[in-house]
Amino acid sequence: LAAAPPLHRATPAAGDWRIIGAHVQDSDDATVRGVVTDCTHAFKEVTTTTGSVVMMRRSKLTRTTLTDEEVALCARPTSLKDYVQARIDGTIRVSHGENGREFKNCYTCADGTERR
């Protein structure tokens, strides 16, 4: 079983709070909350409370406080297969209608089984 990509661990600028382990949320969408799990030069990898992995620009992140339960949901996948699936899940996200119903990278079969 292949492992997830190695962490980059770029050195943050002095005083930058957006470091690995920081609790963050998307400045434009408060439903996207998680923990910074990797740092590249231009982006921060955030593992969200839904288990998705998203790449976000530093300027799009704001500080937040997550509960212990939310932090537990933000574990970076360890296998390559699960990591790639989490990245896909974090990328595919569509809202519909005024009620804000959100469709992610999944669907429900006629028998009620959720699939990707």
Side-chain angles (χ1 to χ4, degrees), residues 18-83:
R18 298 168 203 90
I19 59 174
I20 293 174
H23 299 187
V24 297
Q25 75 181 32
D26 186 323
S27 59
D28 295 329
D29 184 355
T31 64
V32 179
R33 299 163 46 88
V35 175
V36 175
T37 50
D38 196 9
C39 300
T40 63
H41 293 289
F43 293 90
K44 302 296 181 187
E45 178 186 271
V46 177
T47 304
T48 69
T49 56
T50 62
S52 299
V53 175
V54 294
M55 300 300 286
M56 301 183 72
R57 291 199 176 277
R58 295 168 11 113
S59 61
K60 299 287 281 174
L61 297 173
T62 58
R63 286 187 196 200
T64 193
T65 302
L66 301 176
T67 65
D68 291 341
E69 293 80 19
E70 287 176 312
V71 172
L73 297 172
C74 299
R76 186 178 195 259
T78 55
S79 75
L80 181 58
K81 177 183 176 282
D82 292 341
Y83 177 80

